Amino acid sequence: MSDIGEETRGRSKANEPAHDIYTEEGAVRPDFLARVGAAIADRDVLYLRQHVARLHESELGDLLESIMPDQRRAMVRLLGTDFDLTALTEVDEAIRMEIVEHMSNAQIAAGIGGLDSDDAVYILEDLDKEDREEILAQLPFTERVRLRRALDYPESSAGRRMQTEFVAVPPFWTVGQTIDYMREDEGLPESFTQVFVIDPTFKLLGVIYLDRILRTNRQVKIETIMRETNYPIPADMDQEEAAQLFEQYDLLSAAVVDENGRLVGVLTIDDIVDVMQEEAEEDIMRLGGVGDEELSDTVVDISRSRVPWLLVNLLTAFLAASVISLFEATIEEVVALAILMPIVAGMGGNAGSQTMTVTVRAIATRDLDIHNAWRVARREICVGLINGCLIGTLVGLVAGFWFQDPNIGGLIATAMLINMVAAASAGLMVPILLNRAGADPAVSSAVFVTAITDTTGFFSFLGLATWWFAIG
Amino acid sequence: MSDIGEETRGRSKANEPAHDIYTEEGAVRPDFLARVGAAIADRDVLYLRQHVARLHESELGDLLESIMPDQRRAMVRLLGTDFDLTALTEVDEAIRMEIVEHMSNAQIAAGIGGLDSDDAVYILEDLDKEDREEILAQLPFTERVRLRRALDYPESSAGRRMQTEFVAVPPFWTVGQTIDYMREDEGLPESFTQVFVIDPTFKLLGVIYLDRILRTNRQVKIETIMRETNYPIPADMDQEEAAQLFEQYDLLSAAVVDENGRLVGVLTIDDIVDVMQEEAEEDIMRLGGVGDEELSDTVVDISRSRVPWLLVNLLTAFLAASVISLFEATIEEVVALAILMPIVAGMGGNAGSQTMTVTVRAIATRDLDIHNAWRVARREICVGLINGCLIGTLVGLVAGFWFQDPNIGGLIATAMLINMVAAASAGLMVPILLNRAGADPAVSSAVFVTAITDTTGFFSFLGLATWWFAIG
């Protein structure tokens, strides 16, 4: 999946720049889509081989996502063995499943034979156990064993994401022997950036980057220039944890070892970048109250995945309504309160979501924890006080003039200040407490924060008004 | 900034695993903080040199972020030339500025001399022009010229992020000559994964990855094994655009060229990972209505950065209030409407933010554009209809029983359905239109979507009620 392999395979032609299939905004060009569509309809295999089969895997992926389902199936069929299965790692899961289901196991097996092991695993792991076994059975022995070993590791583990192809040499070899081995051995991986040093049982002893080999004289022993690998990654480590190690220590690649410290594969930054992107994506989606839906999902799937969050929010909405109903009599007397009360609740919600967003991110990036929470809490409450005073005064003035009543102005200003401070506290404490309780703060914080700002907003404004007009 | 350099420098000791300074949750261990604090108070330079100076740059960064400002300054002073300035690239901007301001230009110059050029630029670019010039003046000529050239490129451009150290050879050299050159030349960069091929004017001709060199016989000419660089990056390209290229084509590194196609530096994936993370971070923060604030910012800074968004939301809140005020008479008669109306508006807001989150992400990842917008629109409206029916029916039943009035139930159910469809349309169209107009959909979508769901919610519910009770 790295560009090293790409350039070596030379799939993109120099006189036909790859970016060409895209419009300025990054969509696939409509005229290209039309031309491909026509070629599919005409069964113009020659055009497809020349203009589609040569696309970069990610371009082919974008193309697959941009055409109709029946066009996808027809195109994959027409391309036959010229269809690069790596493109399947670049499309939405729903589209991948749809394409794979319409391919014969023989075609999949033929295509998978040419892939890097991490890409092969990525495609195989979503298949039925039966299909997977049938495909594996058609692969050469070594490859089958390697893929099976990777598939044996738990889902989303480093073992699933690793490449099982690597270059390893014994520590007693010289630099010269190593270079000669690399010049002569035909079975080396397509591309690599480091050489691992292992003992006869495959136990990982060290690592050497290629620039070190190139800069060292031929007679020098490997063991004298090898480096200890500071961060060997256990194959069953979760991919997110592995991504954090990559990020923290700016790793480009890392050895993956089994429970006995034996080298089983290598994890590279390009796979980790995908994991990081998925992570950030997940946080954004969760904060917005949506699950892992994709643009290609069906209406029913999406509706089903979004309803639960709406139902939880409905509970808080009724909670807020029941707070309002406590003050029915006051509202009947002063209708202005009904008109203004959504402002108090809504602005509290906005301020609360600001604090909450910062808090959720700080927890995710591990910048915030129980130890510095107090310092941050003091700061957030101060910000709540300042912004509460500013916005409260402004709202008070506007409302006072609108309803020609300074009482209304004073009441809403005070309620606003109270709710802004409540919003700051809730926006900070809810994610921290959820995190401590072992829940994902990104998923559920918003509901609790809104519940607090809504009820506080309505209660403070209507409560203050009831009390004020009662004594007034 | 890559692990290649790290392992070569061997800063982490094997018998003292790096992860050790962290608790399970990833915070810096309190007892380590206390021990460092004591060492700073006791001016125990020996302890600091042994236990702090040897930390990985990112660990030192985390440590700096976890101690008090006066401790930071004292520690940097005590460490003197043992303080690794790379750690400054790992901390919040506010902390970086604070530390740098308390260092002498001479100390900064001494520290910067040992850094990779991209890290040096990262620190220098935030300084006053005067300080920067004074520091540059103290550096050796070649380094000064290189850093100045990088600093001349616009902020956030590829030229700013690139490393200016690289290995380049002429095309007529043989593999043997190239290897000998690498073995003998002392001035090579600390680590590298590729060799560039240039003509005498530094014009970029091609690139060779180190594994290709190692696998080729000594007498082979470089020009016969070099590859065209498919994606040379113009130095003035925005770093986000560069990041998109890296992501799309799974690049590990790319040549950076000036306007004449001359090689000026190399951009590597580890710098790009930081750009990608910042990007995702920015989207999350913008959707939550906060700017680029950091945990270390002051109360006033934060308040100032959050107020504008609150003010814009205040406008929409007053707009919603003015819609309610149109129906003052109806509310006076049926107070139940005032109690229930926030439910209609709020649930619309929730549904709208679901659709909006998906849309904003789809635009950011370039999965959604004007060409497939219709397909997605149909889907979202269908989801809005289905969820509107489900939630509407449920709310109608609860409200009808609560107020013992089937009219109320029917009214709120209908209003809810209308608002859910409006929410779906707004959540989809607002980000698309903002994006077409050249605005960042993540920043401003929420305000418009809320404005639409609030006004539609209040207007449909209260309007329907007014009409119903008037004819009833």
Side-chain angles (χ1 to χ4, degrees):
Chain A
M1 277 170 90
S2 79
D3 88 306
I4 301 185
E6 240 20 80
E7 303 228 14
T8 316
R9 285 177 222 138
R11 215 175 268 142
S12 299
K13 275 169 48 181
N15 53 351
E16 193 186 322
H19 317 53
D20 240 8
I21 75 159
Y22 296 107
T23 63
E24 285 270 306
E25 299 101 56
V28 179
R29 264 185 13 236
D31 59 313
F32 182 64
L33 285 182
R35 186 70 194 76
V36 170
I40 294 170
D42 300 346
R43 308 175 149 272
D44 183 350
V45 177
L46 196 69
Y47 179 87
L48 292 178
R49 266 199 209 132
Q50 274 178 348
H51 293 89
V52 173
R54 290 191 182 176
L55 291 176
H56 184 276
E57 62 207 45
S58 69
E59 294 164 346
L60 182 52
D62 286 336
L63 175 62
L64 284 170
E65 288 189 338
S66 306
I67 59 182
M68 296 287 150
D70 50 328
Q71 289 183 311
R72 271 175 220 143
R73 292 196 284 270
M75 191 171 85
V76 171
R77 211 171 33 240
L78 289 170
L79 281 173
T81 53
D82 284 332
F83 175 63
D84 177 10
L85 263 77
T86 323
L88 293 181
T89 65
E90 307 272 345
V91 300
D92 275 2
E93 195 186 334
I95 294 179
R96 179 165 58 249
M97 295 307 289
E98 176 211 304
I99 294 175
V100 167
E101 269 164 30
H102 282 85
M103 290 173 75
S104 70
N105 284 342
Q107 193 186 357
I108 298 176
I112 270 187
L115 299 189
D116 285 343
S117 65
D118 52 345
D119 293 338
V121 167
Y122 195 85
I123 294 169
L124 285 172
E125 66 183 0
D126 285 338
L127 297 179
D128 293 342
K129 208 174 177 297
E130 230 171 89
D131 286 330
R132 198 198 295 169
E133 282 307 315
E134 201 181 313
I135 293 167
L136 282 172
Q138 298 181 40
L139 296 178
F141 175 75
T142 345
E143 213 174 323
R144 185 165 68 230
V145 171
R146 280 185 171 173
L147 291 179
R148 247 201 207 119
R149 184 161 58 178
L151 284 164
D152 270 348
Y153 289 110
E155 221 176 309
S156 306
S157 66
R160 281 280 179 99
R161 292 284 81 79
M162 72 187 180
Q163 235 176 293
T164 53
E165 300 94 359
F166 49 79
V167 182
V169 298
F172 51 82
W173 275 17
T174 63
V175 166
Q177 276 176 296
T178 307
I179 294 183
D180 293 342
Y181 163 69
M182 288 192 269
R183 285 206 183 121
E184 283 148 27
D185 196 306
E186 302 278 303
L188 291 183
E190 205 137 28
S191 68
F192 52 95
T193 58
Q194 58 199 342
V195 170
F196 294 103
V197 186
I198 53 172
D199 76 4
T201 66
F202 265 75
K203 206 159 182 139
L204 182 65
L205 302 175
V207 65
I208 314 178
Y209 287 95
L210 299 188
D211 62 327
R212 172 76 22 208
I213 297 180
L214 279 165
R215 293 154 96 166
T216 308
N217 284 317
R218 285 183 66 90
Q219 63 278 13
V220 175
K221 277 246 164 76
I222 285 294
E223 57 194 342
T224 63
I225 58 164
M226 77 183 189
R227 292 271 149 197
E228 192 150 357
T229 47
N230 288 319
Y231 318 101
I233 292 183
D236 54 3
M237 181 186 264
D238 188 81
Q239 57 181 8
E240 293 179 18
E241 242 180 288
Q244 268 163 2
L245 277 181
F246 267 75
E247 216 187 329
Q248 170 118 37
Y249 298 107
D250 288 325
L251 305 178
L252 293 181
S253 62
V256 180
V257 293
D258 69 8
E259 61 280 13
N260 301 315
R262 280 190 298 243
L263 184 65
V264 289
V266 50
L267 208 55
T268 51
I269 181 80
D270 52 312
D271 302 313
I272 289 297
V273 164
D274 295 340
V275 174
M276 289 176 182
Q277 298 283 67
E278 278 166 32
E279 273 298 274
E281 190 85 15
E282 240 178 61
D283 270 3
I284 294 179
M285 300 296 249
R286 283 174 182 171
L287 279 170
V290 277
D292 337 303
E293 61 178 66
E294 288 168 343
L295 274 192
S296 54
D297 286 350
T298 66
V299 170
V300 177
D301 284 342
I302 289 180
S303 166
R304 198 181 294 148
S305 88
R306 290 194 199 164
V307 162
W309 196 69
L310 291 176
L311 286 179
V312 178
N313 274 283
L314 190 57
L315 276 181
T316 64
F318 270 110
L319 181 69
S322 68
V323 169
I324 301 174
S325 76
L326 296 176
F327 305 99
E328 217 174 316
T330 316
I331 293 174
E332 221 157 9
E333 226 162 288
V334 193
V335 187
L337 297 178
I339 296 170
L340 293 172
M341 67 186 187
I343 299 181
V344 183
M347 292 304 292
N350 290 328
S353 89
Q354 287 182 324
T355 305
M356 182 191 79
T357 304
V358 174
T359 309
V360 168
R361 279 315 292 168
I363 292 174
T365 57
R366 304 180 163 211
D367 285 334
L368 180 70
D369 51 71
I370 210 73
H371 307 295
N372 64 352
W374 277 117
R375 218 186 325 162
V376 179
R378 257 206 319 273
R379 196 196 63 170
E380 284 298 326
I381 306 243
C382 284
V383 172
L385 275 170
I386 295 177
N387 290 2
C389 286
L390 283 174
I391 305 283
T393 309
L394 188 63
V395 172
L397 284 173
V398 176
F401 276 106
W402 184 1
F403 293 97
Q404 295 291 317
D405 184 350
N407 290 316
I408 296 274
L411 286 168
I412 198 171
T414 314
M416 189 73 93
L417 176 60
I418 294 173
N419 204 21
M420 293 292 250
V421 175
S425 319
L428 181 74
M429 290 316 295
V430 166
I432 291 182
L433 292 177
L434 283 173
N435 188 48
R436 280 215 107 185
D440 181 345
V443 177
S444 29
S445 291
V447 174
F448 289 103
V449 172
T450 312
I452 293 173
T453 55
D454 270 4
T455 49
T456 309
F458 292 132
F459 191 86
S460 61
F461 184 48
L462 299 175
L464 274 174
T466 306
W467 166 78
W468 181 259
F469 290 120
I471 64 161
Chain B
M1 275 171 95
S2 81
D3 89 303
I4 301 186
E6 239 21 78
E7 303 230 15
T8 316
R9 284 179 221 135
R11 216 175 267 142
S12 299
K13 275 169 50 180
N15 53 352
E16 192 186 322
H19 319 51
D20 239 9
I21 75 160
Y22 297 106
T23 62
E24 285 270 307
E25 300 101 55
V28 179
R29 261 181 20 233
D31 59 312
F32 182 63
L33 286 182
R35 186 66 194 82
V36 170
I40 294 170
D42 300 347
R43 308 176 149 272
D44 184 350
V45 178
L46 196 68
Y47 179 86
L48 294 178
R49 267 199 209 130
Q50 274 179 348
H51 293 89
V52 173
R54 289 189 181 178
L55 291 176
H56 184 276
E57 60 206 45
S58 70
E59 294 164 345
L60 182 52
D62 286 338
L63 175 62
L64 284 170
E65 288 188 338
S66 306
I67 59 180
M68 296 286 150
D70 50 329
Q71 290 182 311
R72 273 175 218 143
R73 291 195 285 270
M75 193 172 84
V76 171
R77 211 170 33 239
L78 288 170
L79 282 173
T81 53
D82 284 333
F83 175 65
D84 176 11
L85 262 78
T86 323
L88 293 180
T89 64
E90 307 273 345
V91 299
D92 276 2
E93 196 187 334
I95 295 180
R96 179 163 60 249
M97 296 307 289
E98 176 210 304
I99 294 175
V100 167
E101 267 164 30
H102 282 85
M103 290 174 76
S104 70
N105 284 342
Q107 193 186 355
I108 299 176
I112 272 187
L115 300 188
D116 285 343
S117 65
D118 51 344
D119 293 338
V121 166
Y122 195 85
I123 294 169
L124 285 172
E125 66 183 359
D126 284 339
L127 296 179
D128 295 340
K129 207 173 177 294
E130 231 170 89
D131 285 331
R132 195 198 296 167
E133 282 307 314
E134 203 181 312
I135 293 166
L136 283 172
Q138 298 181 39
L139 296 176
F141 176 74
T142 344
E143 213 174 322
R144 185 163 68 231
V145 171
R146 278 183 172 174
L147 290 179
R148 247 202 207 116
R149 184 162 59 179
L151 284 163
D152 270 349
Y153 289 110
E155 221 176 308
S156 303
S157 66
R160 280 281 179 100
R161 293 283 82 80
M162 72 187 179
Q163 234 176 293
T164 54
E165 299 93 359
F166 50 78
V167 182
V169 298
F172 51 81
W173 276 18
T174 62
V175 166
Q177 276 176 297
T178 307
I179 293 183
D180 293 342
Y181 162 69
M182 288 192 270
R183 283 203 184 124
E184 283 147 29
D185 196 305
E186 301 279 303
L188 292 182
E190 204 135 29
S191 69
F192 52 96
T193 57
Q194 59 199 341
V195 170
F196 294 104
V197 186
I198 53 171
D199 78 3
T201 66
F202 265 76
K203 208 160 182 139
L204 182 66
L205 302 175
V207 66
I208 314 176
Y209 287 95
L210 299 188
D211 62 327
R212 172 76 22 207
I213 297 180
L214 279 165
R215 295 155 95 167
T216 309
N217 283 319
R218 283 183 66 90
Q219 62 278 13
V220 175
K221 278 248 165 75
I222 286 294
E223 57 195 342
T224 62
I225 59 165
M226 77 182 188
R227 291 271 151 198
E228 193 152 356
T229 47
N230 287 322
Y231 318 101
I233 292 184
D236 53 4
M237 181 185 263
D238 190 80
Q239 58 180 9
E240 293 178 16
E241 244 180 285
Q244 269 163 1
L245 278 180
F246 268 74
E247 217 188 328
Q248 169 117 37
Y249 298 107
D250 287 324
L251 306 178
L252 293 181
S253 62
V256 179
V257 293
D258 69 7
E259 62 279 12
N260 302 314
R262 280 190 298 242
L263 182 65
V264 289
V266 50
L267 209 54
T268 49
I269 180 81
D270 52 313
D271 302 314
I272 290 297
V273 165
D274 295 339
V275 174
M276 289 174 182
Q277 297 283 67
E278 279 167 31
E279 274 298 274
E281 190 84 17
E282 240 177 60
D283 271 4
I284 295 179
M285 298 298 247
R286 283 174 183 170
L287 280 169
V290 277
D292 329 307
E293 60 177 69
E294 289 168 341
L295 273 193
S296 55
D297 286 351
T298 66
V299 169
V300 176
D301 283 342
I302 290 179
S303 165
R304 199 181 293 148
S305 87
R306 288 193 199 164
V307 162
W309 196 69
L310 291 176
L311 286 179
V312 178
N313 276 283
L314 191 57
L315 275 180
T316 64
F318 269 110
L319 181 69
S322 68
V323 170
I324 301 174
S325 75
L326 296 176
F327 306 98
E328 215 174 316
T330 318
I331 293 174
E332 219 158 8
E333 226 163 285
V334 193
V335 188
L337 298 178
I339 296 171
L340 293 172
M341 66 186 185
I343 299 181
V344 182
M347 292 305 291
N350 291 327
S353 89
Q354 288 182 324
T355 306
M356 182 190 79
T357 303
V358 175
T359 309
V360 168
R361 280 315 292 167
I363 292 174
T365 56
R366 300 178 166 214
D367 285 334
L368 179 71
D369 50 71
I370 210 73
H371 307 295
N372 64 352
W374 278 117
R375 214 182 330 160
V376 179
R378 257 204 320 272
R379 196 196 63 172
E380 284 298 327
I381 305 236
C382 286
V383 172
L385 274 169
I386 295 176
N387 291 1
C389 287
L390 283 173
I391 304 282
T393 309
L394 188 63
V395 172
L397 285 173
V398 175
F401 277 105
W402 184 0
F403 293 96
Q404 295 290 317
D405 183 349
N407 290 316
I408 296 273
L411 286 168
I412 198 170
T414 315
M416 189 72 94
L417 176 60
I418 294 173
N419 205 21
M420 293 292 248
V421 175
S425 320
L428 181 75
M429 290 316 295
V430 165
I432 291 183
L433 293 177
L434 283 173
N435 188 48
R436 279 215 109 186
D440 181 344
V443 177
S444 28
S445 291
V447 174
F448 288 103
V449 172
T450 311
I452 292 172
T453 55
D454 270 4
T455 50
T456 308
F458 291 132
F459 192 87
S460 60
F461 184 47
L462 299 176
L464 276 173
T466 307
W467 166 78
W468 182 258
F469 290 121
I471 65 164

